[in-house]
Amino acid sequence: MAAPVRFLALVFPNVTQLDLTGPAQFFSAPADATVDLAWKTRDPVVTDAGFAIVPTTDLADAPQADVLMIPGGQGVFDLLDDPETLDFVRRQAAGARFVTSVCTGAFLLGAAGLLVGKRATTHWNSHALLGLLGAIPEQARVVRDGNIITGGGVTAGLDFALTVLAEVFDEQTARAVQLGYEYDPAPPFDAGTPSRPEADQAQVQHTIATRAALREPVVRRAAAALAEVSA
């Protein structure tokens, strides 16, 4: 009997929980799949929603992933210069069939040097910064470039998860998961991205500016460190 497909997700303080738990829920559905959550310790990790998630393994003992997933959230920017986490991501990526991210989790892949020359996406509020880490930013819900699969902001993680399931298993499996969880989005408003007609453009511009002020210095430091390693 074949070994189950192992999905391994990083969990960290101030993670956006839906980036993590949405895809993890979908990934756990196939009978021949396992999902592990890894962090530095197995102590509960507080998410940006205020509640905690308990890791199933620590970074040192984490099993090799078939699919490595990095979720996003403001907490990811605290890890862009964290050697232990970057080493973990690189080590896992080297043996993984697919290396993936949701939302701003793409920045950790970028800081680890895994997006250089790769098409990738992230949340619209920081999309323009992704190129600083050598990525080719692409506006889409899900972007695949080789074995790198990146999802856009937060709820795009569900589309991302179905895309990954179709690649790892097959489209029939992905459709069964979609049906089982009644994933049939029909939002009451048409304001889900900056390009939608009901999106508040003042909110868009304010959010992009504030996120850039908060995140760009961190991303530039990560880019400089990456350049030193590559030199």
Side-chain angles (χ1 to χ4, degrees):
M1 182 177 180
V5 175
R6 188 174 294 279
F7 294 89
L8 178 65
L10 186 69
V11 59
F12 48 85
N14 210 20
V15 64
T16 294
Q17 66 83 22
L18 189 56
D19 286 0
L20 172 66
T21 57
Q25 186 71 59
F26 280 15
F27 292 158
S28 71
D32 48 351
T34 64
V35 178
D36 287 297
L37 307 179
W39 182 232
K40 295 181 180 182
T41 72
R42 300 193 187 196
D43 297 330
V45 176
V46 179
T47 72
D48 67 357
F51 58 79
I53 292 176
V54 180
T56 62
T57 185
D58 56 41
L59 302 187
D61 295 330
Q64 175 58 54
D66 296 304
V67 178
L68 174 66
M69 185 188 81
I70 311 299
Q74 183 56 37
V76 82
F77 294 92
D78 296 329
L79 303 176
L80 299 191
D81 59 357
D82 179 46
E84 183 179 3
T85 303
L86 290 171
D87 287 346
F88 168 79
V89 171
R90 293 186 186 109
R91 185 172 68 250
Q92 282 286 337
R97 180 178 171 191
F98 291 101
V99 177
T100 75
S101 66
V102 177
C103 195
T104 53
F107 285 92
L108 189 55
L109 295 184
L114 301 173
L115 294 185
V116 176
K118 298 287 187 178
R119 294 179 296 107
T121 192
T122 189
H123 195 292
W124 60 261
N125 66 24
S126 297
H127 198 271
L129 300 178
L130 203 52
L132 296 174
L133 297 171
I136 303 169
E138 184 172 312
Q139 292 281 1
R141 293 279 282 179
V142 184
V143 173
R144 178 177 178 182
D145 191 331
N147 76 327
I148 305 288
I149 304 176
T150 53
V154 194
T155 59
L158 298 181
D159 295 352
F160 152 89
L162 293 175
T163 301
V164 171
L165 288 174
E167 292 290 342
V168 173
F169 296 101
D170 50 45
E171 290 187 1
Q172 182 178 357
T173 298
R175 290 190 187 100
V177 171
Q178 180 180 11
L179 178 60
Y181 286 110
E182 198 177 354
Y183 178 51
D184 185 26
F189 309 107
D190 196 3
T193 71
S195 64
R196 303 310 301 167
E198 295 182 10
D200 183 336
Q201 294 305 312
Q203 178 186 348
V204 169
Q205 295 306 316
H206 175 74
T207 302
I208 290 173
T210 56
R211 293 298 188 277
L214 180 65
R215 296 171 175 175
E216 185 171 351
V218 180
V219 176
R220 287 192 179 278
R221 286 200 301 272
L226 195 61
E228 286 184 11
V229 171
S230 301

